[in-house]
Amino acid sequence: MTRPPTAALAIACVAVLTTVTGLFIAWSLRPAAVTDAGAQAPRDDLRCGATACRSVVKQQVGADSVELLVGEGAGRIRTGGASGPNIFELTIVSSGARITERSLQCVDAEVGVCLARGEVGGEVLGEVFVRRSGAWSRAQVPYVSSGAYLALHDVNRDAVADVVAVQRACPKGADCSRWFVQVFSLAGGGGELGCTPVVREPEALPGWPEVAPDPSELRQCGA
């Protein structure tokens, strides 16, 4: 029996709609692409844990943008611009660090450096991302400050920012008035540059409140 033209057209429209719906569902469920640097290419529906990501703070690093995103129990760091779009896991969030508008510090140079940091349990946790030859990658993680100060500063004047951490020279879980500065290099293979002598109050640390020791003030940590 020949179907009426109107019925045939309706059936064809339903078939097309079903196909389009299936393609959309498949697209929405696709995994995020992974770049050679191990970062995920960003998506518009990016999620952080159980919720959609929300932007907390964003900075420009030359022609690149760097942005911290958080959700329920998870976080991301997103880069964009000349270096291309990338997304890295923000591991300090899963450790409980609180991300605020003061949690991101970036230094723009030939080797760009960004420090993401947050407080948890009386300490400051941080992780660092470095841009070399136009590509971002994750540096050693995590950095920890028991003295509530973690920042970037080019201590050894090699044109690459170093990580400056204030530490308290106290037994674990104890409270004492003993403070020192620990410095980590991000150049080459990285590593510890050294520590300053212990002082009795944080105000006596070099450069306080923007702690910036001179290389001559550093010695082997623990010596």
Side-chain angles (χ1 to χ4, degrees):
M1 180 178 66
T2 303
R3 295 179 183 271
T6 302
L9 180 60
I11 291 172
C13 290
V14 170
V16 171
L17 180 60
T18 302
T19 301
V20 171
T21 302
L23 290 173
F24 175 78
I25 293 173
W27 178 88
S28 66
L29 295 177
R30 78 200 191 286
V34 178
T35 69
D36 292 338
Q40 293 181 341
R43 290 170 46 183
D44 293 338
D45 57 345
L46 185 65
R47 298 187 69 79
C48 294
T51 60
C53 294
R54 62 177 178 86
S55 177
V56 177
V57 59
K58 184 177 183 179
Q59 289 189 18
Q60 285 296 127
V61 187
D64 291 337
S65 63
V66 178
E67 184 178 19
L68 300 188
L69 309 159
V70 298
E72 188 176 324
R76 313 276 190 187
I77 182 164
R78 176 163 60 188
T79 68
S83 64
N86 291 290
I87 293 176
F88 300 87
E89 190 76 20
L90 197 57
T91 60
I92 59 174
V93 174
S94 58
S95 298
R98 187 169 66 92
I99 303 301
T100 71
E101 66 278 0
R102 297 175 58 85
S103 290
L104 181 63
Q105 180 190 5
C106 294
V107 175
D108 183 26
E110 183 176 350
V111 177
V113 179
C114 283
L115 168 67
R117 59 199 173 188
E119 295 184 12
V120 57
E123 296 180 329
V124 179
L125 302 184
E127 55 190 303
V128 170
F129 297 84
V130 181
R131 183 192 60 200
R132 290 186 175 94
S133 302
W136 288 94
S137 61
R138 188 194 303 272
Q140 176 185 347
V141 292
Y143 293 94
V144 180
S145 164
S146 60
Y149 183 94
L150 193 64
L152 297 174
H153 181 73
D154 185 8
V155 173
N156 59 357
R157 306 182 185 96
D158 63 352
V160 180
D162 305 303
V163 178
V164 178
V166 171
Q167 311 291 9
R168 302 188 72 178
C170 311
K172 188 174 180 60
D175 188 15
C176 68
S177 295
R178 292 172 55 82
W179 309 76
F180 67 96
V181 182
Q182 186 177 22
V183 182
F184 301 91
S185 172
L186 296 172
E192 199 173 62
L193 284 180
C195 293
T196 63
V198 174
V199 296
R200 292 293 182 180
E201 54 187 7
E203 291 79 7
L205 294 171
W208 182 267
E210 300 296 328
V211 181
D214 187 86
S216 63
E217 298 176 282
L218 300 179
R219 61 186 185 186
Q220 183 177 349
C221 297

